[in-house]
Each structure stands twice: as structure tokens, then as C-alpha cells.
Amino acid sequence: MEAAAPSPLLHSPPHITPELRRFLDVRFRSPADLAAAADVEAEIRGRCAELESSVAELSARLADVAAAYSSSLGAAGSALCAVRGGLAALKASTDKTGVREDVEAGSEKMLFEQLPPLATDVARVDMVRDYAETALKLDGLIGDVEDAVSSSVTAKLKSRGENSEKTHHVAIGYLKKIEDLLASVTRTRPQWTRLISAVDHRVDRSLALLRPQAIVDHRALLSSLGWPPSLAGTKISDSNSEKPAETVNPLFSMKGDLTRKYSESFLSLCNLQELQKRRKARQLHGHDVGNQPRQPLWVIEELVNPLSAAAQHHFSKWVENPEFVFALAYKITRDFVDSMDEILQPLVDKANLVGYSCREEWISGIVIALSTYLAKEIFPKQIELLQESSSSDASSTAVQARVSWLNLVDLMISFDKRTQDLISGTGLLLSVKDDENWQRISVLSVFCDRPDWLEIWAEIERREVFASLKSAMENENNWSKRIEGAMLEYGSDDCKSPAITGAVKHGLSLIIDRARPIPSIALRAEFIRISASPIISEFLGCMFRRCQEAEGLTALADDNALIKVSQSINAARYVESTLAQWCEDVFFLEMENLPVVGEEGGSVFQQEINQLKEFRSEWVDKISTVILRAFDARSRDYLKNKRQWQEHSEEPAISRAIIESSGYIQGRLSKLEDGLNVLDFVTVWRAVATGVDQLLFTGIFAGSPKFSNGGVERLHADLSALFAVFQAWCLRPEGFFPRLSEILKLLKIDERQLRDSRMVTDKNWLREHGVRHLTAGEAEKIIKNRVYDA
């Protein structure tokens, strides 16, 4: 038999491209693959049919655009021909001999009549030309974008992703040119709304494909870099040590081609976000949409999301030990924050993303992820524990539930402080201090989404503080002892406040300090209203009960009762002064005019300050009233004795009743001076002086008694003794007894100065003699009852 002839070798045709050769090599790796040649042929024919259909569609669109452009050019050409013909006719009519002078007036009139519509036609033609050119330019750019996106999708299907980043950059470059054109059209031709809307619609379709592709490619690149790094061997126990063990950071370890690819992918996402930011600003321009939420940085989100998902696997094991959750979250935040500044921030700046800090965005991303986990896993269990303790009879269970809640809040406040130090510790100012953005870097933002949890927290804080104050308020020693060095707001006078007010101030300070980290002004005010205001009201109620008890036992007649009331007045004055001083701080000034503060506005403690003022005013008036009643009882016989004003004596003695009643006033006021704060003591003795002035004036001149010279001297001696009592607290005590002082002035007027009784009713005459608090009728009555000795 003859040997079989060897099969001839197939030579590669010269028109086979390297791409086609690679395609065939993939499909036909062995002779056995030749059986699938029919399938490969069908696949190739299908793709060719798709490409031919795409080319046919593009050709049809190009023909339509060309026809529209030709039509526009035809209309423009016709209009220009008409203009040219009109100008030629005008020139011919003016060039004829013998008619120039005849047509000057007519041509001038024709110019005035034809130039406005001519200018309108020219402007319309110019606008049509601009519209056609802009539409063609935009259509070409959008076609380039769609081709780039389509080629990117095709390359993805063929598993050839090495040029995807270049394709993304090309598409993004075209999109930026489109956005520049649209921004220019929006400024110069705002009436072209349909063109802008049509372009936006096609751009949106391209972006709907481009952004997911870019994100998928970026995630695949991150995965090849080893992101997220493993947290299995992370040691959180040494997170506070000087040299903690840091997690391996893939961003620092990438080199060479990986660095280039990651930078290109990073810039693609940043450029896409910058483009989206510009488009949104253009579309919302001129619309009142209020404050728009801040868009997080997409590239940082792609770093945070897989890492937070890996961390939650560890979080789930520490539901009963949240301190480990916060320790791991802080360690993750700290270990990667430096790479944000050194590696990623220059790329963000290169993409012209203004207003973004990679350090802040990284911290914000971790904080938001932690807040979400707390809201879903930790706080619901805390709520269940509180509900179980409320239904249980054991008080220890309720205490344990409240302690657990407060411990969680302590961990949140500590975490916020440490993470915010990572921002401020670099020497940079915190750029997100307003409420809306501050919430992004605070885990306490959990309470912004759940105000009912804030109410629970505030109620727990109120209970804890009030539990410590209740026993202190019941201890009498805390009322008898004073706070050393406690000063009033108006000077260096000691307010003589009891020691209990120090405990109240300390408790209120603790609550206010707890409210400071809350990232919302309205919620801070609400927290203080729920927790601090009831404590002030409870303390005010305690003082009121003490004063009522003193009044009920002795009607404020003995020293102990006065001391007890004075202690409460001093305490109210001190707390009122403290609250007023606090409200001048910026922390409280920000809360003014909030709905939670009240309809009247003002400070958050305005209602409590008003209540304390009313309490002080009420009991200061009661003390003054008690002293005046006792004075009235002791001077009643003195006032009934009308004959004493007509007696004649060369050296009149001071009445014993005046001595006793003045001594009583002096004793009461001296006791109050030792026990009452300066400001309220001044109010008391001035009120007593005013009451005595009215009381003696009414009592002495009831029944129109006659006054002889001896009676006038006797009255002068009595009043001098009374005035001397108040000289310890003022230089001119007679100024606080205006009516009695003016009575003495009228009674001492010489008879020769009273030439006519009608002079007394003259206001000018009364003003010249220093009488300003008596009416003309009262002055006339006093003068008529004056009896001059012969």
C-alpha cells in the first residue's frame, strides 16, 4: 500500500489581522474544535449583522441631519438673496441721472421702513445658522460618546478590558465638551429648551451605561489590589497604645502598572462625578430647591463599602460588647486615613472636584457605616432591654438597662471626639461644621433619624441627675451651708447661695455637656428641654414647698422662718443668674428662635428664668408685707393719738411707739441683711420704706388733725428717728419717704410766706418748695390744718 500523502499546510492570508488571529486561536485550540465551526460562523454573522444594522442606523441619522442642514442653508440662502436683491434695487434706483434729487426723501423714508424688518431677518438667519451648527456639533459629540460607550461594552463582552479605562476617558472627554456647549447655550440661548432636553436625555442614556461600567471596572481593580484587606488578625486591644499594630494598606503597597491602572480608574470616577455635579448645577440653576444633600465621594464609597461589610462580620460577634465595635471602627479609620491624604487627595485635586477632602470623606464613610450598624443592631437591643426592665419588678434590672444605655452613649461621644481629632489634628480646619454636614462625621447622628431615641436618652439622663439631687435637696445641711465665693452677675457681691445650688448647677452642667456633641441645634435644644428643664422645675417646686412650710408654721414672724425663706430666695437668685449667664454663650444663642424653644422665642431657659423671677418677687413681697403688718400693729395707738400734734413743748421727746416700731424694723432688716443676698435685700428695705411712708401718711392725716408748732417739732423728731433706721443702707433716707418729707416741708413754711391760701394750689409754687409727690388738694389740706402760735 502507498503511504498517505501529508496534508498540505495552510498559509495565513495577508489580510488576517492580529485581532482576528487571536479570535480564531481562542475558538480553535485543537482539531476537535473544528466541529463547532458552524457555530462560530453563525456567531460571526450575527455580530456582523448587528454592526451593519448599527451602521445603517447611523447613516440614516446622518442623512436626516444633512437634509435638515441643507434645508436650513436653503432658507438662509433665499433670505440672503432677497436681501441682496433689495440692496441692488436700491442702488440702481439711486444711480439714475436726474432722479437722485427726487428720490432722496423717498429713499430716506424707505430706509427707515425697511431696515428694522431687514435687521430682524438677518438676526433670524443668524440664529438659525447658530442653531444648526450647535445641533450638528452636539449630535456629532453625542454620537462619539455613544460609539465610545458601545465599543466599551463590546470590549467587555469580548473580555478585553485592558483598554476600558482609555475608552472611559475618551467618553468622559466628549461628555465634558457636551456639557460646556450646553452651559453656553443655557446662558446665551435659554429659549432652546427642547434642544437642551433632547441632549440631556441622550446623555443620560449614555451615563446609565458608562457609570456602572466604570464602577465595575474599579471594583475589579480594587479586588486585584487585595482590597479590602483582611481584618481577621486585627488586634484592637492595643488601639490606644503608642505604637499600635497597623493593618496592611494595599494602597501603599501597589506599584508599577497597578498604580497607573488604579490612578486611571480613580480619575475616571472622579471625572464622572465632577461632570454629574456640573450637570446638576446647570439643571437646577434658577430653581429654588433649598439645601441639596451633599453627595459623597464615589471613589471613597468604593473603598468604604467592602471594608465595612468585612468589619460587620466581626461586629456581629460583639453585640453584647459594643466597646469592641467602636475600637475596631476607630482602628480602621486611623490606619487608612494617612493614605487618603498622600495618595488619593492629589488625584481628587487633579479631577477638579472642588470642596472635597479625602480624609473627611473617609472618616465620614466609616462613621455612616457604623451609625447604620448601630441603628439596625445595637439600639434595638437596648430598647428591648429597657422595655423588659420597665415590665419587670426588679429595680436592679432597670438600673442595669439605663447604665447599659449610658455606657453606649459614652462610647459614641468618645468615638466622635477621637475621629474628629483625626481631622483637626492635621492642622486643617474642619470644613463641615454646619449641622447637615457635621452629622456625616458623628455617630450621634443616629438620634437625628430617631428623635424618639433622643427622648429616651434625655429622660435617662434626667433620672440619673435627679436621683443624685433628690437626696441632696432633702439634706438640711445643704441649705444652711453656703457656696463660698459665689458671686452675682452684677458685681462682686456675695449672693449667699446655699450649697444645694452648687449641686444643681453641677447636675445641669453635666446634662449640657452631654448635649454639646449632638450634631443638630434643634435636637440639642430638645434634649435640654426634656432633661434639664424638669430638673429646674423640680428644684423650684422644692423651694416653694420650703417657703410654704415656713409661712404655715409661723407666718414668717420668727427668725428661723425668715432664714428659711431667705435661703430659697438666694438659691433662686443664684440659679437664675447662672442660667442667664449660660444663655449668653454661643452654644445657647444658636438655639434662639427655634420652635422647640417656644412661641415667645428667646433663650432655651427663658421660661425657667421667668419662673425663678416670679418666685423671688412673690416671696420678697411677702417678707415686706409681714414687716409692714408688724409695724402697723405697733404704731396703731400712735396714729390714733391726734392730740399730740397740738401739744406745746420746748423739747419734744420721740414717741415710744415710734421707737418700738422703728426698732422692730431695724431688727428685721438687720436679720435679713445677714441672710439675704444684696440685690433682693435692697428690694425688701426699699419696699418697707415705701410702705411705711404710705402707712404713716394715711394714718397721721386721717381725720384732718391740727398741727401746732410743738406738734410739728414732735413729728420732725419722730420722723428723724425713723429715717435714722434706714441710714445704714443709704445716705439720704428721707428720699425713700417722699410724702412724709414733703409734709414736713409744708408744715415748716413760715406763716408770712403764705400770703394767700390759693398759692398752695399753684403747681409752680409747690415745685419751687420741693413738693412733687403730693397733690394740690393734699397740700392745701395740710396747710389749712397748720395752726401757728401767736
Side-chain angles (χ1 to χ4, degrees):
M1 297 178 61
E2 296 181 358
S7 60
L9 295 175
L10 296 177
H11 297 284
S12 300
H15 63 274
I16 295 180
T17 63
E19 289 80 4
L20 181 57
R21 183 179 295 108
R22 282 196 298 270
F23 175 79
L24 294 175
D25 290 341
V26 171
R27 294 299 188 277
F28 303 102
R29 297 182 180 276
S30 64
D33 294 336
L34 293 175
D39 296 337
V40 173
E41 181 184 4
E43 180 184 355
I44 294 174
R45 291 185 182 279
R47 291 188 181 181
C48 290
E50 291 177 1
L51 293 175
E52 289 176 356
S53 176
S54 177
V55 169
E57 182 182 354
L58 291 175
S59 300
R61 277 201 336 223
L62 181 62
D64 293 341
V65 172
Y69 183 62
S70 300
S71 176
S72 301
L73 287 178
S78 300
L80 289 175
C81 288
V83 172
R84 191 180 294 109
L87 292 175
L90 177 63
K91 181 178 179 181
S93 63
T94 56
D95 286 343
K96 292 181 180 180
T97 58
V99 298
R100 181 178 300 275
E101 293 80 3
D102 298 334
V103 300
E104 280 184 357
S107 62
E108 216 173 283
K109 181 178 180 182
M110 182 184 67
L111 285 175
F112 279 111
E113 291 178 352
Q114 293 184 357
L115 281 179
L118 184 63
T120 303
D121 290 341
V122 171
R124 184 169 60 252
V125 170
D126 187 60
M127 185 182 68
V128 171
R129 185 194 64 192
D130 287 346
Y131 187 90
E133 291 178 353
T134 303
L136 284 173
K137 189 180 295 184
L138 287 171
D139 187 73
L141 289 173
I142 293 176
D144 293 337
V145 171
E146 292 172 343
D147 291 342
V149 173
S150 176
S151 64
S152 176
V153 173
T154 303
K156 197 71 176 177
L157 292 174
K158 294 180 178 180
S159 301
R160 291 189 292 110
E162 61 272 9
N163 295 323
S164 61
E165 294 303 329
K166 294 181 180 179
T167 307
H168 294 164
H169 282 298
V170 170
I172 294 171
Y174 289 139
L175 287 170
K176 286 186 174 182
K177 292 180 181 179
I178 292 172
E179 184 58 31
D180 292 338
L181 273 176
L182 290 179
S184 176
V185 169
T186 302
R187 290 192 305 270
T188 58
R189 304 286 187 180
Q191 67 273 22
W192 294 355
T193 55
R194 292 185 178 179
L195 175 63
I196 296 174
S197 176
V199 174
D200 277 338
H201 178 67
R202 292 179 65 182
V203 169
D204 286 337
R205 287 191 303 178
S206 298
L207 286 175
L209 294 174
L210 185 60
R211 181 186 172 186
Q213 288 180 25
I215 290 177
V216 168
D217 293 342
H218 189 76
R219 290 175 180 175
L221 186 57
L222 283 176
S223 180
S224 66
L225 290 175
W227 190 274
S230 176
L231 301 175
T234 303
K235 295 180 180 180
I236 61 175
S237 59
D238 59 349
S239 59
N240 292 321
S241 62
E242 295 182 359
K243 294 183 179 180
E246 295 187 359
T247 308
V248 177
N249 190 344
L251 297 179
F252 280 132
S253 60
M254 62 181 180
K255 296 179 182 179
D257 193 48
L258 278 178
T259 303
R260 180 188 60 80
K261 288 183 177 180
Y262 181 76
S263 299
E264 290 178 355
S265 178
F266 190 97
L267 284 173
S268 294
L269 277 182
C270 288
N271 287 326
L272 271 177
Q273 185 165 7
E274 191 271 339
L275 174 67
Q276 185 69 18
K277 185 178 178 181
R278 288 177 55 195
R279 294 186 73 235
K280 189 173 183 180
R282 171 180 58 80
Q283 292 168 354
L284 296 179
H285 181 71
H287 298 278
D288 186 11
V289 292
N291 294 328
Q292 294 294 311
R294 179 187 175 91
Q295 186 74 19
L297 202 57
W298 295 347
V299 286
I300 302 299
E301 275 190 324
E302 296 305 319
L303 292 173
V304 171
N305 291 340
L307 191 58
S308 63
Q312 287 189 15
H313 172 69
H314 298 277
F315 292 167
S316 60
K317 299 182 293 186
W318 299 328
V319 175
E320 303 297 332
N321 302 99
E323 61 272 14
F324 295 149
V325 173
F326 287 97
L328 179 58
Y330 176 73
K331 189 175 190 308
I332 293 173
T333 306
R334 182 202 58 201
D335 288 350
F336 296 97
V337 73
D338 290 337
S339 62
M340 303 298 143
D341 287 338
E342 298 176 16
I343 299 176
L344 304 186
Q345 188 63 47
L347 297 176
V348 172
D349 296 338
K350 185 177 180 180
N352 293 325
L353 266 175
V354 181
Y356 281 98
S357 165
C358 288
R359 174 178 285 263
E360 292 180 12
E361 292 297 321
W362 169 256
I363 294 174
S364 171
I366 299 297
V367 167
I368 292 174
L370 179 58
S371 301
T372 303
Y373 179 78
L374 292 176
K376 289 183 178 180
E377 302 295 337
I378 303 297
F379 270 100
K381 294 187 180 297
Q382 293 290 330
I383 296 295
E384 290 179 6
L385 187 60
L386 287 172
Q387 291 174 347
E388 291 175 0
S389 64
S390 62
S391 60
S392 176
D393 296 334
S395 59
S396 59
T397 307
V399 172
Q400 183 180 0
R402 292 197 297 269
V403 170
S404 177
W405 182 285
L406 294 177
N407 179 55
L408 177 60
V409 173
D410 289 338
L411 291 172
M412 296 170 69
I413 294 175
S414 175
F415 179 83
D416 279 353
K417 185 178 183 302
R418 296 171 69 191
T419 52
Q420 290 166 19
D421 287 343
L422 291 176
I423 298 177
S424 58
T426 59
L428 301 175
L429 294 177
L430 189 63
S431 63
V432 288
K433 195 59 178 176
D434 56 285
D435 272 5
E436 183 178 351
N437 290 319
W438 189 11
Q439 293 173 13
R440 300 173 59 248
I441 57 170
S442 173
V443 290
L444 290 174
S445 59
V446 171
F447 296 110
C448 298
D449 299 327
R450 293 298 301 267
D452 54 329
W453 291 354
L454 181 84
E455 294 178 6
I456 294 173
W457 175 26
E459 182 63 24
I460 292 175
E461 294 286 357
R462 184 196 67 80
R463 288 185 180 182
E464 293 297 315
V465 173
F466 183 71
S468 61
L469 287 178
K470 186 176 181 180
S471 58
M473 286 190 289
E474 294 173 354
N475 188 351
E476 194 62 33
N477 290 332
N478 290 330
W479 293 93
S480 57
K481 293 180 181 179
R482 294 180 181 177
I483 300 178
E484 297 297 333
M487 302 299 176
L488 292 172
E489 74 274 20
Y490 297 108
S492 60
D493 298 318
D494 190 352
C495 68
K496 302 175 183 177
S497 179
I500 184 62
T501 54
V504 173
K505 179 181 178 181
H506 177 69
L508 293 176
S509 299
L510 289 177
I511 290 178
I512 292 171
D513 289 340
R514 301 286 274 181
R516 290 184 186 276
I518 299 175
S520 169
I521 296 175
L523 290 184
R524 290 198 290 270
E526 179 69 15
F527 182 87
I528 292 174
R529 184 189 67 80
I530 296 174
S531 57
S533 296
I535 291 177
I536 301 173
S537 300
E538 192 67 33
F539 182 62
L540 182 61
C542 177
M543 292 188 295
F544 186 74
R545 290 190 296 270
R546 287 176 60 85
C547 292
Q548 280 189 325
E549 181 182 350
E551 183 184 29
L553 292 176
T554 62
L556 304 182
D558 64 347
D559 294 343
N560 291 333
L562 280 181
I563 291 174
K564 202 167 187 178
V565 174
S566 298
Q567 292 169 348
S568 297
I569 293 176
N570 293 340
R573 167 70 72 175
Y574 181 76
V575 174
E576 174 193 338
S577 173
T578 300
L579 296 179
Q581 185 177 2
W582 284 351
C583 290
E584 295 177 358
D585 189 80
V586 176
F587 176 75
F588 288 97
L589 291 177
E590 291 177 336
M591 302 178 191
E592 293 186 1
N593 302 321
L594 289 175
V596 71
V597 173
E599 296 180 358
E600 299 178 358
S603 66
V604 69
F605 289 125
Q606 192 60 50
Q607 183 177 359
E608 288 73 22
I609 290 174
N610 293 338
Q611 291 174 351
L612 290 168
K613 285 181 179 179
E614 292 174 2
F615 170 80
R616 285 191 304 100
S617 177
E618 177 185 354
W619 287 97
V620 164
D621 289 343
K622 285 189 176 183
I623 291 176
S624 304
T625 302
V626 168
I627 296 175
L628 288 174
R629 285 177 181 174
F631 178 84
D632 181 40
R634 285 169 171 76
S635 61
R636 191 165 299 158
D637 294 337
Y638 171 78
L639 297 176
K640 289 181 180 180
N641 186 6
K642 306 299 183 182
R643 293 182 180 180
Q644 60 182 330
W645 312 122
Q646 300 179 22
E647 295 177 355
H648 299 276
S649 58
E650 296 181 358
E651 295 182 0
I654 301 174
S655 301
R656 177 171 298 186
I658 288 294
I659 294 175
E660 292 179 357
S661 56
S662 299
Y664 169 79
I665 291 179
Q666 186 175 20
R668 295 286 91 187
L669 293 180
S670 298
K671 195 68 178 179
L672 287 171
E673 185 180 16
D674 294 335
L676 199 59
N677 67 82
V678 175
L679 297 178
D680 288 312
F681 173 70
V682 169
T683 304
V684 170
W685 76 253
R686 288 183 176 181
V688 171
T690 302
V692 170
D693 181 60
Q694 179 64 32
L695 184 64
L696 291 182
F697 173 79
T698 305
I700 291 174
F701 290 94
S704 301
K706 302 295 184 180
F707 281 85
S708 64
N709 292 344
V712 173
E713 294 298 327
R714 186 181 186 88
L715 179 63
H716 176 73
D718 292 344
L719 294 182
S720 297
L722 178 63
F723 295 164
V725 172
F726 292 88
Q727 201 163 11
W729 306 296
C730 60
L731 296 176
R732 294 182 63 256
E734 60 273 10
F736 296 94
F737 298 86
R739 310 189 83 181
L740 294 177
S741 300
E742 291 177 1
I743 287 172
L744 278 178
K745 290 180 182 180
L746 290 176
L747 293 176
K748 288 183 177 181
I749 293 177
D750 191 79
E751 184 180 10
R752 289 173 294 180
Q753 295 178 348
L754 299 173
R755 298 185 300 273
D756 187 357
S757 60
R758 288 178 298 179
M759 295 173 58
V760 181
T761 59
D762 186 5
K763 293 182 179 179
N764 293 329
W765 186 88
L766 291 174
R767 193 174 296 109
E768 290 175 2
H769 287 77
V771 178
R772 292 178 175 81
H773 297 84
L774 297 177
T775 64
E778 291 172 341
E780 183 180 12
K781 181 179 178 181
I782 292 169
I783 293 299
K784 286 183 178 180
N785 289 325
R786 178 70 167 92
V787 178
Y788 292 94
D789 297 340

